[in-house]
Amino acid sequence: MHDAESLLVGTPYLIAGDFVSATRFQAAATRSSETRRKATETNARIVAEAQEVLDPYLKAARTDLVAESNVIEGMQWSAQEVRAVVATHRELLSAPTRTLVAGVKSDPRVYEALGLYRAHEIAETWSEQDRVPRAHEIRELHRLILGAIPGSGEFKQFDNVIGGSAHRTSSVADTPRVMLELADWWGAGTPDPLLTATVVHAWLAHIHPFEDGNGRLSRILANLELARHGYPALTVRAASDRGEYYAALAASDEGDLLPLYELFGRVLRRQAKIMSRPHYVRAVIEDRLLASESERHRFWLSTLRQFTTALGESLRGRGALFEVQGTLDPGSFSLLCDRDVEGNGWFATVRQKGEQSEWLLWFGFRSDRWLEIDSSAVYPSIFISRRDRTPDAMHPYTQHFLRSDIDGRVPDEISVIPAVPSPIRQRFEFDLTETRPEESARLIADSLVSVL
């Protein structure tokens, strides 16, 4: 197995040479190799099964990618809406780029979907040709994504900033040079497509070469690299992944690539698991993926919102900042109901103003200990982890923290059960309690705030 230093030479990224960092990288690389085998085998099987309906299947998968990428950037699109816009403007999508841009110039919202959809089509063509785009082609792809607006396809004219981040992007003067360096490095890449895709995504986001559209473009390029090697789509879900995704990007801006590498691997493993479900291709085409779970997920989500609101009010009332990081999309929800770790995701963080987040609440599957007490209908669980400040910490948060310095009790596990009078169940060791959202929120808030 190649060492991190040789793989990342020529990039802004280094893996520290200490034992913990080296061990963590080797673990991620080993997992990446397993992910590649499972993901590419699953994708190849699905494509083979879908031969008779391959075109509508690929269109459906593409609309999902477009919708999720737009939502991450704050543009509200559903896959169904993207599909409707694509169907309405199918002739423009097959026309030259100039015609496409002119055809919907008066409707910027429609272009949000069509430009990104067409960009994905072009990237898919490049992947079929097994080629990496040059810097000028990346600019043209950006022009297509943004359409007829100032700065489209042109490197930034002024130094830009990333909202909510202290990261300093590449200067205007340096941008052309570092974009050439990125493209040259990508041409050589690494033996691990997932690592290469992670570097390309993080590096472009780090450079921030354009005024707008950097996130959408970086996700397309990561998918292009993976598609060249037979992976399924890397679909970062706005609902489930946004908080962890932005935290991983922030870490990559500081030179730590591992959180993003690990997240992308988990996203691909989740996608492979979902694609392994019976009748997956037909379900995607007919827009009813996981339809049997949809009503259950909808009820659960409604109850989760009640708990989220109550918890946020309780924490803010005690002077803490409660920041929702995500929820669960239907696919992740279904995996966790099946007790599959690939559905895990961040829920919320808690901190004092001006401080790092002290607490992380995250979604996982119901524990064995819970099932020993109650084996009735299985829903996802919420777990609470505290920031790990030990020097050799492998991850920023840990479930294994001292409870002796906390006033009150922190639940070991929380579950949201829809359609019952007391929908919040909490596990303390081998005891289960049932409460209303407001009661549970007060108990949790008192405990978490006591150490802020």
Side-chain angles (χ1 to χ4, degrees):
M1 183 174 290
H2 296 77
D3 65 272
E5 185 176 358
S6 64
L7 291 173
L8 299 176
V9 65
T11 78
Y13 307 104
L14 294 172
I15 305 298
D18 61 276
F19 176 77
V20 172
S21 298
T23 300
R24 185 178 166 197
F25 175 77
Q26 291 300 335
T30 299
R31 195 80 191 271
S32 176
S33 178
E34 296 169 357
T35 299
R36 181 177 186 176
R37 179 181 61 79
K38 292 178 182 178
T40 55
E41 286 177 359
T42 301
N43 194 51
R45 178 178 58 78
I46 289 296
V47 170
E49 290 177 3
Q51 278 305 308
E52 294 182 4
V53 288
L54 190 58
D55 187 55
Y57 167 72
L58 292 177
K59 286 180 178 177
R62 202 177 299 128
T63 57
D64 188 33
L65 270 176
V66 169
E68 291 294 336
S69 193
N70 275 340
V71 172
I72 284 177
E73 302 300 327
M75 297 172 282
Q76 297 306 309
W77 283 92
S78 67
Q80 294 85 352
E81 289 171 326
V82 174
R83 185 178 295 193
V85 167
V86 167
T88 302
H89 300 279
R90 65 174 68 89
E91 292 182 1
L92 280 176
L93 282 168
S94 59
T97 299
R98 184 175 301 175
T99 304
L100 169 61
V101 172
V104 288
K105 184 176 181 180
S106 62
D107 195 338
R109 175 163 167 78
V110 168
Y111 197 84
E112 288 174 1
L114 290 186
L116 191 54
Y117 186 92
R118 181 65 182 137
H120 273 287
E121 286 186 320
I122 290 174
E124 288 167 14
T125 299
W126 288 344
S127 74
E128 291 167 2
Q129 297 169 349
D130 192 24
R131 72 181 185 88
V132 170
R134 305 303 301 159
H136 73 276
E137 292 174 311
I138 294 174
R139 288 175 57 186
E140 288 304 311
L141 204 62
H142 179 265
R143 190 188 309 278
L144 182 56
I145 293 171
L146 260 64
I149 66 170
S152 172
E154 301 296 332
F155 290 144
K156 59 191 178 185
Q157 299 300 309
F158 304 95
D159 289 342
N160 50 12
V161 296
I162 302 173
S165 171
H167 166 57
R168 302 290 294 179
T169 64
S170 295
S171 69
V172 170
D174 285 342
T175 294
R177 173 182 58 80
V178 291
M179 283 298 293
L180 286 172
E181 290 175 357
L182 187 160
D184 287 345
W185 179 87
W186 188 6
T190 76
D192 179 354
L194 177 56
L195 181 62
T196 303
T198 305
V199 170
V200 169
H201 181 293
W203 199 351
L204 189 134
H206 181 85
I207 297 168
H208 234 62
F210 305 101
E211 294 294 337
D212 190 21
N214 297 286
R216 284 166 283 173
L217 178 61
S218 61
R219 289 187 287 276
I220 286 179
L221 298 184
N223 265 299
L224 165 57
E225 171 61 21
L226 292 168
R228 289 176 59 219
H229 299 278
Y231 285 74
L234 174 74
T235 308
V236 179
R237 299 283 175 190
S240 302
D241 306 320
R242 188 185 340 226
E244 187 176 357
Y245 173 59
Y246 282 144
L249 277 177
S252 73
D253 284 332
E254 298 299 321
D256 185 0
L257 197 67
L258 287 175
L260 193 64
Y261 185 33
E262 291 167 337
L263 172 62
F264 281 0
R266 182 173 64 77
V267 168
L268 285 169
R269 290 189 294 275
R270 179 181 67 200
Q271 183 64 19
K273 289 283 181 68
I274 292 172
M275 292 171 72
S276 297
R277 290 175 177 270
H279 314 300
Y280 169 80
V281 172
R282 182 59 59 185
V284 168
I285 293 171
E286 295 179 2
D287 205 16
R288 56 177 177 79
L289 179 60
L290 302 173
S292 62
E293 291 282 353
S294 62
E295 196 68 18
R296 191 166 178 241
H297 174 255
R298 188 158 40 247
F299 276 120
W300 177 84
L301 202 57
S302 176
T303 309
L304 177 69
R305 290 193 189 104
Q306 296 175 32
F307 178 59
T308 302
T309 299
L311 189 53
E313 289 175 352
S314 291
L315 284 162
R316 284 189 289 269
R318 290 158 175 77
L321 293 179
F322 175 72
E323 296 166 322
V324 175
Q325 302 296 321
T327 180
L328 291 176
D329 63 274
S332 298
F333 171 82
S334 183
L335 286 173
L336 290 183
C337 288
D338 289 342
R339 304 186 75 230
D340 192 315
V341 69
E342 307 303 351
N344 285 9
W346 284 16
F347 171 34
T349 55
V350 180
R351 65 184 176 93
Q352 281 186 324
K353 187 175 182 180
E355 300 291 336
Q356 284 186 311
S357 300
E358 181 69 19
W359 299 100
L360 172 70
L361 284 72
W362 53 279
F363 298 107
F365 61 77
R366 191 167 289 183
S367 67
D368 291 338
R369 182 162 292 186
W370 186 299
L371 293 178
E372 289 175 20
I373 310 167
D374 176 18
S375 59
S376 58
V378 176
Y379 285 92
S381 285
I382 297 170
F383 297 91
I384 300 177
S385 291
R386 189 175 182 183
R387 182 165 292 280
D388 191 343
R389 290 184 168 82
T390 56
D392 58 349
M394 294 284 283
H395 296 284
Y397 300 95
T398 177
Q399 282 184 273
H400 308 292
F401 54 88
L402 288 175
R403 285 167 160 77
S404 57
D405 59 344
I406 300 171
D407 294 337
R409 304 171 71 200
V410 177
D412 296 296
E413 190 171 354
I414 305 161
S415 189
V416 174
I417 312 295
V420 296
S422 298
I424 308 303
R425 293 185 184 173
Q426 301 169 127
R427 180 178 66 80
F428 299 90
E429 291 290 334
F430 285 100
D431 294 326
L432 291 183
T433 65
E434 298 181 5
T435 65
R436 301 188 64 80
E438 297 78 12
E439 299 172 59
S440 176
R442 285 194 295 270
L443 181 150
I444 293 170
D446 285 340
S447 300
L448 300 190
V449 170
S450 71
V451 293
L452 290 183

